[in-house]
Amino acid sequence: MRSRPLSMRSAEGAPELAAGLRDKRAMMEGWKRGLTELLSGAPLRDGLPAEAAALAIMMSVNGTAATWLACPELFSPADQAEALADAVLYGLADRTLAGAELTGPGTRSGEPRGSGSPTSG
């Protein structure tokens, strides 16, 4: 039997995987719709559409899972969950860059979410 390379976008040459790929796509589309709807009422940064925020969350979760599955000794998702979520939701830069204090969800009043530490809050 001749082996064929698989792709995350195609089950060509492996028809037994077609249904799983179709289900995965449907699940991802539903996840994107649900997150976009949820985030449409969130206090997102100016210029950040809810759809882009939803995709950023999805890509971060999928990337975390793929990285951990490929190299579980690299990190513990459970041990770093709060810091990883904070990085996704609030970015990687210091919250006081350029003198503008960034705030957490629902705190547009200027009161900071935390002290700047990824695990505080």
Side-chain angles (χ1 to χ4, degrees):
M1 175 183 209
R2 182 180 151 149
S3 67
R4 298 180 188 154
L6 293 178
S7 165
M8 291 185 73
R9 296 183 342 145
S10 171
E12 183 180 333
E16 66 277 11
L17 300 178
L21 183 57
R22 194 171 39 255
D23 291 347
K24 174 78 171 176
R25 286 180 177 156
M27 184 272 306
M28 297 295 280
E29 290 167 3
W31 195 16
K32 179 183 163 200
R33 272 192 310 275
L35 279 171
T36 300
E37 183 178 325
L38 177 71
L39 293 168
S40 67
L44 298 175
R45 188 180 73 229
D46 289 342
L48 179 63
E51 182 179 17
L55 288 169
I57 291 169
M58 290 172 60
M59 289 184 282
S60 296
V61 170
N62 281 317
T64 299
T67 301
W68 181 72
L69 288 170
C71 191
E73 66 279 356
L74 186 63
F75 72 106
S76 165
D79 291 347
Q80 296 191 26
E82 188 174 346
L84 293 170
D86 197 61
V88 170
L89 294 174
Y90 304 110
L92 304 176
D94 184 310
R95 293 184 184 162
T96 58
L97 276 181
E101 182 72 33
L102 300 180
T103 60
T107 59
R108 290 210 176 229
S109 66
E111 183 176 315
R113 176 180 178 270
S115 64
S117 167
T119 57
S120 70

